[in-house]
Amino acid sequence: MTAELALGLPAVVLALVVVLLVGAAAVAQVRCTDAARAAARAAALGEDHATVVAIATDLAGEEAQVAVSESGGWLTVIVTRPLSTGWLGGSMLTARAEVSIPAEPGDP
């Protein structure tokens, strides 16, 4: 029984680590998507660049990077955020979301 436990326990721990990493990646992706959507909507309504970045950073986290661009009446917001891998090492994984939305007509 002890030999089986000694051989099986590392596999169980590895499976648990993988599940936790997938869960963390999913949460980071959802946060980036929500942040990009909210920031794009604010940009389309005429908010200034600093406000748009503040909205995205507030939703995605302080470590998020936000890029806002406009082309042909469309506003695009890209939010990237490194995935915290904790004791496994550096941030090898990155969550990224991109949302494009037409600018609202009228004065900002």
Side-chain angles (χ1 to χ4, degrees), residues 26-87:
V27 168
Q29 184 63 44
V30 168
R31 287 183 72 180
C32 282
T33 303
D34 288 346
R37 186 188 58 214
R41 184 68 183 145
L45 292 174
E47 294 290 341
D48 60 278
H49 182 75
T51 303
V52 171
V53 170
I55 289 170
T57 304
D58 185 46
L59 292 173
E62 290 296 324
E63 63 277 359
Q65 296 179 346
V66 182
V68 182
S69 63
E70 182 179 1
S71 176
W74 283 80
L75 296 159
T76 301
V77 177
I78 301 171
V79 178
T80 57
R81 179 179 190 266
L83 178 62
S84 176
T85 55
W87 54 270

Side-chain angles (χ1 to χ4, degrees), residues 2-45:
T2 304
E4 290 85 3
L5 182 64
L7 292 174
L9 191 58
V12 171
V13 170
L14 181 62
L16 180 62
V17 168
V18 169
V19 167
L20 291 175
L21 280 175
V22 169
V27 168
Q29 184 63 44
V30 168
R31 287 183 72 180
C32 282
T33 303
D34 288 346
R37 186 188 58 214
R41 184 68 183 145
L45 292 174

